[in-house]
Amino acid sequence: SNVLLRSTLGGNVSSLTPVLAADSASIDVLSFLFEGLFEIDPQTAQPMPALAPWEISDDGLSYTFTIIGGAVWSDGEPITAQDVEFTYNAIISDDVGSPRKGNVELISDFTVVDDRTFTVSLSAVNCTVWGTTFGVLSPIPAHMYSENLSEFMDNPFNNEPTVTSGPYVWA
């Protein structure tokens, strides 16, 4: 069934892709459109799995995430580790003007293990990775973009996402 969500925002939406959004209005809307790797437990304020549970290495430097089985984009395509890798590569690319570059500076290595699994290695143990680094790795659908990141900024998908992973789609 279709549900229409109407909300008042405290400002204008500047972008509807997690890679480019920096203002609170955009981030508020994106929270309905794109599922994150984790969510915050309202009772404990601790991270808990959303799109991907994880395992942490003994030294606290390596996090292995596994996307839950059956996770799909609104067009039916599976959500993959490659989508998360594409998101990370877009953030760090010199061709993309992402305000999130500073959020991923702690990542020393990003490795796709298989279609559902990826490992993020950090250069140092840091408890802020949940609110910063892992918080900006909400995947975007790589199949909606060209592999050439120099075309990323001009993609109409950035302002009119036709494929989402969250509970709502953009109309």
Side-chain angles (χ1 to χ4, degrees):
S1 72
N2 292 333
V3 175
L4 176 63
L5 175 66
R6 292 181 189 259
S7 178
T8 303
L9 300 172
N12 293 325
V13 172
S14 64
S15 178
L16 290 175
T17 178
V19 170
L20 300 176
D23 58 277
S24 62
S26 297
I27 292 167
D28 287 347
V29 173
L30 286 168
S31 70
F32 293 105
L33 301 177
F34 293 96
E35 183 77 56
L37 299 176
F38 68 96
E39 57 191 12
I40 300 298
D41 184 312
Q43 303 300 317
T44 66
Q46 295 298 307
M48 60 185 205
L51 189 57
W54 59 87
E55 294 180 7
I56 306 171
S57 65
D58 290 341
D59 63 5
L61 292 174
S62 183
Y63 292 73
T64 300
F65 292 86
T66 302
I67 297 171
I68 58 174
V72 295
W73 296 105
S74 60
D75 64 358
E77 289 291 317
I79 299 173
T80 66
Q82 290 84 355
D83 289 317
V84 185
E85 179 184 40
F86 178 83
T87 304
Y88 170 70
N89 286 337
I91 291 170
I92 64 171
S93 173
D94 290 338
D95 291 326
V96 178
S98 176
R100 302 285 169 224
K101 291 183 189 327
N103 294 104
V104 296
E105 287 178 338
L106 279 174
I107 296 177
S108 60
D109 185 61
F110 187 106
T111 303
V112 171
V113 177
D114 59 39
D115 284 347
R116 290 183 37 223
T117 310
F118 61 95
T119 300
V120 178
S121 299
L122 306 176
S123 58
V125 174
N126 189 316
C127 64
T128 67
V129 295
W130 292 105
T132 57
T133 306
F134 300 148
V136 300
L137 291 180
S138 295
I140 58 174
H143 65 283
M144 299 305 296
Y145 290 87
S146 162
E147 288 184 31
N148 183 350
L149 287 171
S150 67
E151 299 171 8
F152 188 97
M153 297 297 290
D154 296 324
N155 191 317
F157 186 87
N158 294 333
N159 294 317
E160 294 185 22
T162 54
V163 175
T164 64
S165 59
Y168 292 90
V169 294
W170 182 254

